[in-house]
Amino acid sequence: MTGSLVIAGLGPGDDALVTPEVTAALACATDIVGYIPYVARIPERPGLTLHPSDNRVELDRSRHALEMASAGRDVVVVSSGDPGVFAMASAVFEAVEAGPAEWRSLDIRVLPGITAMLTAAARAGAPLGHDFCAINLSDNLKPWALIEQRLRLAVQADFAMAFYNPRSKSRPEGFVRTLEVLKEACADNRPVIFARNVSRADEQISVVPLQDTHADMADMRTMVIVGSSQTRIIETGTAPIVYTPRSAS
Amino acid sequence: MTGSLVIAGLGPGDDALVTPEVTAALACATDIVGYIPYVARIPERPGLTLHPSDNRVELDRSRHALEMASAGRDVVVVSSGDPGVFAMASAVFEAVEAGPAEWRSLDIRVLPGITAMLTAAARAGAPLGHDFCAINLSDNLKPWALIEQRLRLAVQADFAMAFYNPRSKSRPEGFVRTLEVLKEACADNRPVIFARNVSRADEQISVVPLQDTHADMADMRTMVIVGSSQTRIIETGTAPIVYTPRSAS
């Protein structure tokens, strides 16, 4: 009996951003595993078992999915956005590496999805149109000193920057410090995009000059994009367009 | 008469990676504008005019699209991958900024797509599972010295790195130099992923230790991903899994 494990990206929230490849995989699944709000997006049907679980149990969830696939089930682990960007794919492979040898011969596939930074960027214009970096600002899994050093080097490299998980109730001080570091390291007043609940009905996009930003402009449902020194604003009379030109000198 | 301009991402090649949002926009278009091979992916139908154009004419193409939208047409500019990542969105906004004032009040929307690095990463495992950067290695639009400085800082920041446009026939020496810089700057033998024609029938994925890489492993149809110092390989007996753990110290 041969099962399979698919790690699929559901995109940022709007079903019109789910790829047909992912939709097809969901249609063949016997079991769906994932964080409660993501599993809630999957319609129930006969023959399908939903296994929602809480946040911060990514390794337990991964082992459960791997065990079911080993037992012959066709399991889909759902992530929001893209599963390979600060999401479930790395957690599953951490479990594979630490787990029994037979997990290495399982049929495991990762199906890409529209990650939040691409949708946030599209809404604002094209702030990631030149070289950029993506940083997870959560210090649950890495020390704050590493984040701060990475921020300074990213400014020095003149990357546009996309920040995932900028701020949570349990550690509000990290994003305060992030903005302090950026205000000091960037001599300019480049645009910062705050994109909350992108692609959802209550989506909110705002563009704020760096020196005017403050930490409560973001929460865990916000994607933050900071322009490079080259990023430009086109005033339109309504929402401004933020883009980074293709060329640099 | 009010036209519209949509800048849409077709993903890396497989139609199963085109979002329903993009498919719907294509179905409403009167005109499709883009580089020849991308426009060739759009089926002809009555009422639709295809405007394929050659490479390296991005600004002319953008102005043409903006003129048609101004004249009341519903224009879709197609990009491969995501239009905001080293693709057409920045070119269109460069044309808007330099163009007549009325272009600023046009209805312009960017629709995200699956960019090549996400598909390449998914095929190999999850090499972009921790902080990473994306660099366009083409020196058509920026000086080589800037690329080299950015590479060194990206290594210092310990980003995984995704390289677009690593190598062309007209400038083969840039990628030779890229690998020299990386071999020197990274003291280790981290994995490098060469992903050619991702999601197409002739897709080829190979994983090579950095110190064994050479420049002719890539061409312009190859996406190159270099792991961070933390990136791991799981041997499976068949293709290895390459992933970057979520945590770092």
Side-chain angles (χ1 to χ4, degrees):
Chain A
M1 192 162 62
T2 312
S4 64
L5 180 57
V6 167
I7 312 162
L10 297 179
D14 182 347
D15 286 340
L17 294 174
V18 180
T19 66
E21 182 181 64
V22 167
T23 302
L26 292 168
C28 299
T30 59
D31 296 85
I32 306 282
V33 173
Y35 179 40
I36 298 161
Y38 308 148
V39 174
R41 288 182 56 190
I42 313 300
E44 299 196 41
R45 60 170 163 78
L48 179 69
T49 308
L50 303 179
H51 305 267
S53 50
D54 209 348
N55 212 348
R56 301 210 181 181
V57 295
E58 289 81 6
L59 276 182
D60 291 341
R61 183 190 297 151
S62 298
R63 283 187 287 259
H64 181 212
L66 287 157
E67 280 158 9
M68 288 194 291
S70 269
R73 311 284 294 175
D74 292 312
V75 182
V76 176
V77 175
V78 289
S79 263
S80 81
D82 179 274
V85 176
F86 311 127
M88 282 302 297
S90 284
V92 169
F93 294 126
E94 284 166 39
V96 169
E97 191 175 17
E102 69 256 31
W103 285 358
R104 298 183 181 215
S105 54
L106 277 172
D107 172 17
I108 304 179
R109 283 188 308 144
V110 181
L111 305 187
I114 302 288
T115 184
M117 77 179 160
L118 299 184
T119 313
R123 291 299 195 268
L128 306 179
H130 192 81
D131 300 341
F132 64 93
C133 64
I135 299 178
N136 185 349
L137 287 184
S138 167
D139 60 355
N140 287 335
L141 294 164
K142 63 191 164 193
W144 175 255
L146 181 65
I147 298 176
E148 187 163 327
Q149 184 197 23
R150 209 161 264 170
L151 288 171
R152 291 185 189 280
L153 289 165
V155 170
Q156 222 181 313
D158 206 15
F159 284 123
M161 292 167 259
F163 297 142
Y164 286 76
N165 304 317
R167 194 159 181 258
S168 74
K169 277 184 188 162
S170 61
R171 36 171 198 81
E173 65 293 346
F175 192 56
V176 174
R177 187 67 193 128
T178 296
L179 292 179
E180 284 170 3
V181 168
L182 292 176
K183 285 174 186 176
E184 183 211 311
C186 307
D188 52 18
N189 208 5
R190 62 187 63 187
V192 179
I193 297 154
F194 294 90
R196 188 167 192 279
N197 284 339
V198 275
S199 90
R200 293 172 190 273
D202 56 349
E203 171 181 288
Q204 286 179 298
I205 311 287
S206 54
V207 179
V208 182
L210 173 60
Q211 306 297 337
D212 301 340
T213 56
H214 50 92
D216 61 11
M217 291 174 173
D219 63 14
M220 284 304 274
R221 306 184 66 79
T222 309
M223 179 80 224
V224 179
I225 297 178
V226 180
S228 76
S229 71
Q230 304 297 305
T231 301
R232 301 186 61 79
I233 291 190
I234 306 176
E235 296 296 350
T236 67
T238 57
I241 297 166
V242 183
Y243 83 99
T244 308
R246 299 165 299 153
S247 58
S249 51
Chain B
M1 191 163 62
T2 311
S4 64
L5 180 57
V6 168
I7 312 162
L10 298 179
D14 183 347
D15 286 341
L17 294 174
V18 180
T19 66
E21 182 180 66
V22 166
T23 301
L26 292 169
C28 299
T30 58
D31 296 84
I32 307 282
V33 173
Y35 178 39
I36 298 161
Y38 308 147
V39 173
R41 289 182 56 190
I42 312 302
E44 298 196 42
R45 60 171 163 78
L48 179 68
T49 308
L50 304 179
H51 305 268
S53 49
D54 208 347
N55 213 348
R56 304 210 180 180
V57 295
E58 289 80 6
L59 276 181
D60 290 340
R61 182 190 297 152
S62 298
R63 284 188 287 258
H64 182 212
L66 287 157
E67 280 159 8
M68 287 193 291
S70 269
R73 311 285 295 177
D74 292 313
V75 182
V76 177
V77 174
V78 289
S79 264
S80 80
D82 179 274
V85 176
F86 311 127
M88 281 303 297
S90 284
V92 170
F93 294 127
E94 284 166 40
V96 169
E97 192 176 16
E102 69 256 30
W103 284 358
R104 298 184 179 214
S105 55
L106 277 173
D107 171 16
I108 304 179
R109 284 189 307 144
V110 181
L111 305 187
I114 302 287
T115 183
M117 77 180 161
L118 299 183
T119 314
R123 291 299 195 270
L128 306 179
H130 191 81
D131 301 340
F132 65 93
C133 64
I135 299 178
N136 184 349
L137 287 184
S138 168
D139 60 355
N140 287 335
L141 294 163
K142 63 190 164 193
W144 174 255
L146 180 66
I147 298 176
E148 188 163 327
Q149 184 197 24
R150 209 162 265 168
L151 288 171
R152 291 185 188 281
L153 289 164
V155 170
Q156 220 181 315
D158 206 15
F159 285 123
M161 292 168 259
F163 298 142
Y164 286 74
N165 304 318
R167 192 159 180 258
S168 74
K169 278 187 187 159
S170 61
R171 36 171 198 80
E173 65 292 347
F175 192 56
V176 173
R177 187 68 193 129
T178 296
L179 292 179
E180 284 170 3
V181 168
L182 292 175
K183 285 174 187 177
E184 183 210 311
C186 307
D188 52 18
N189 209 6
R190 63 187 62 187
V192 179
I193 297 152
F194 295 90
R196 187 167 192 277
N197 284 340
V198 276
S199 90
R200 295 172 189 272
D202 56 348
E203 171 181 286
Q204 286 178 298
I205 311 287
S206 54
V207 179
V208 182
L210 173 59
Q211 306 298 338
D212 300 340
T213 56
H214 49 92
D216 61 11
M217 292 174 173
D219 62 15
M220 284 304 274
R221 305 183 67 80
T222 309
M223 179 81 222
V224 179
I225 297 179
V226 180
S228 76
S229 71
Q230 305 296 304
T231 302
R232 301 186 60 80
I233 291 188
I234 306 176
E235 296 296 349
T236 67
T238 57
I241 296 166
V242 183
Y243 83 99
T244 307
R246 298 165 301 150
S247 58
S249 52

